[in-house]
């Protein structure tokens, strides 16, 4: 590195560059997810207003007023719903793939539920245009498909944000360690990068400096501020044969410390590793939801199909009578069961966010 510097260049370690690249990628990905979530929510709220405004007596532009311009009213809902579904296309990629692999997850429920609502709305749109019956506009479910995707996307974003905050905390913890160390070689004090320190090296630590390594004092006496590790605000007296830890601060006297743990083996590195491992493991409620979803998702789909078939046969053989088209009624039953059961995924996401500290 010194040779490279003499040549007029600034050398950087590969690990540092990799960490910087990963941080930039993570930040960029988070910004994209936030932008997508914002767009999906705004469009879904607009769609909800358009579809519900006439029921609540709220003002709506004449160009999309259902009584006078039913075509525009249906078309604008279709366009917004399709846009939101494109934004949330990952749910369909993952959900249907898992479904076809006979291992459905909560994304599968989102994909099937919203797709059913959308397809049903397409059928109703056709009926509105074919029969010129504007009363069927109450049977459109474009807003349901869009709102479900928007809210689940928001939950996924909050979960990613919470994990990102945990990752940032880990990096801050690791950054407490010094990047340089002054070692004694051939009776000379040489400053080297912390990565080049080996076990058995003697490190010289001046008063006021941060201790760069874990080791044992072989010469000197001082007080050490270990608040970063122990939380204790009062400095601790240290003398020969006492252990010191990377990240703590030497307050008073000069010390010579023999290294017994290199980078990656220090106490602070182990703490960071434990936090990182804890972050990588799922929250208990998330693990439980994953186990339940293996049974829950196919069961819900089966119940939705079964309920729809039961109603179909009851209507077909005149056991019960309904005022609307039998096919539309049966499809409504199917969609309602799927859509209402999506609340489990919202609960799972909220609990996961709480686990990663979002509620704080």
């Amino acid at each position: 590195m010194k040779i490279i510097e003499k040549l007029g260049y600034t050398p950087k370690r590969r690990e540092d560059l990799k960490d910087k690249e990963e941080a930039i990628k993570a930040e960029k990905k988070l910004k994209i997810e936030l932008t997508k979530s914002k767009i999906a929510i705004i469009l879904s709220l607009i769609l909800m207003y358009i579809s519900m405004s006439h029921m609540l007596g709220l003002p709506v532009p004449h160009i999309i007023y259902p009584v006078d311009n039913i075509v525009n009213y249906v078309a604008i809902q279709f366009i917004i719903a399709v846009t939101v579904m494109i934004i949330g296309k990952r749910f369909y990629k993952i959900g249907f793939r898992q479904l076809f692999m006979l291992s459905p997850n909560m994304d599968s429920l989102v994909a099937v539920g919203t797709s059913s609502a959308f397809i049903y709305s397409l059928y109703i749109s056709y009926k509105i245009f074919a029969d010129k019956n504007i009363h069927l506009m109450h049977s459109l479910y474009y807003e349901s498909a869009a709102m479900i995707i928007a809210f689940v996307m928001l939950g996924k974003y909050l979960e990613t944000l919470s994990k990102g905050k945990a990752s940032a905390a880990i990096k801050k913890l690791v950054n407490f360690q010094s990047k340089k160390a002054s070692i004694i070689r051939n009776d000379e004090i040489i400053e080297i990068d912390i990565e080049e320190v080996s076990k058995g090296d003697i490190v010289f630590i001046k008063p006021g400096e941060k201790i760069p390594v874990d080791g044992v004092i072989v010469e000197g006496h001082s007080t050490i501020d270990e608040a970063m590790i122990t939380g204790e605000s009062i400095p601790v007296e240290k003398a020969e044969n006492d252990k010191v830890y990377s990240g703590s601060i030497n307050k008073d006297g000069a010390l010579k410390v023999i290294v017994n743990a290199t980078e990656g083996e220090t106490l602070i590195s182990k703490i960071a590793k434990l936090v990182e491992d804890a972050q990588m493991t799922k929250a208990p409620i998330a693990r439980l939801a994953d186990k339940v979803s293996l049974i829950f998702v196919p069961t819900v789909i089966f119940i939705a199909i079964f309920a729809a078939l039961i109603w179909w046969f009851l209507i077909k053989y005149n056991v019960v009578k309904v005022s609307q088209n039998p096919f539309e009624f049966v499809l409504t039953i199917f969609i309602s069961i799927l859509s209402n059961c999506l609340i489990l995924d919202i609960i799972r996401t909220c609990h996961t966010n709480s686990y990663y500290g979002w509620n704080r």
Side-chain angles (χ1 to χ4, degrees), residues 144-311:
S144 298
M147 288 298 291
I148 287 172
I149 293 173
F151 276 117
V152 176
M153 282 186 69
L154 177 61
K156 298 287 186 183
Y157 166 75
L158 295 178
E159 184 176 343
T160 304
L161 181 62
S162 300
K163 289 181 178 179
K165 288 186 176 182
S167 298
I170 294 172
K171 289 179 181 178
K172 286 182 180 179
L173 187 63
V174 173
N175 287 337
F176 270 112
Q177 299 179 103
S178 298
K179 301 298 182 184
K180 300 282 186 176
S182 299
I183 65 170
I184 300 174
R185 286 182 183 171
N186 301 323
D187 296 327
E188 291 184 4
I189 298 176
I190 306 171
E191 187 177 70
I192 62 173
D193 290 332
I194 193 66
E195 293 87 356
E196 298 174 17
V197 176
S198 304
K199 289 182 181 179
D201 284 342
I202 303 295
V203 178
F204 180 73
I205 305 166
K206 299 176 184 177
E209 284 187 340
K210 190 180 291 184
I211 297 175
V213 294
D214 284 10
V216 178
I217 298 174
V218 293
E219 185 179 320
H221 177 275
S222 182
T223 54
I224 306 296
D225 182 359
E226 296 182 339
M228 187 276 301
I229 296 175
T230 64
E232 177 57 57
S233 59
I234 300 174
V236 182
E237 293 281 344
K238 296 283 185 177
E240 290 185 22
N241 298 323
D242 287 336
K243 291 182 179 180
V244 292
Y245 300 101
S246 171
S248 53
I249 300 173
N250 180 25
K251 302 292 283 187
D252 303 315
L255 298 174
K256 290 183 180 180
V257 175
I258 184 169
V259 181
N260 61 13
T262 56
E263 188 191 26
E265 299 176 349
T266 60
L267 178 62
I268 194 171
S269 296
K270 291 178 180 178
I271 293 173
K273 184 68 167 61
L274 287 172
V275 175
E276 189 174 0
D277 290 343
Q279 181 197 10
M280 294 300 292
T281 57
K282 289 188 176 182
I285 187 67
R287 290 198 299 269
L288 177 61
D290 287 341
K291 291 180 181 178
V292 171
S293 65
L294 292 174
I295 303 172
F296 177 80
V297 175
T299 302
V300 168
I301 294 175
F302 171 77
I303 291 173
I305 295 173
F306 180 73
L309 290 175
I310 288 294
W311 276 102

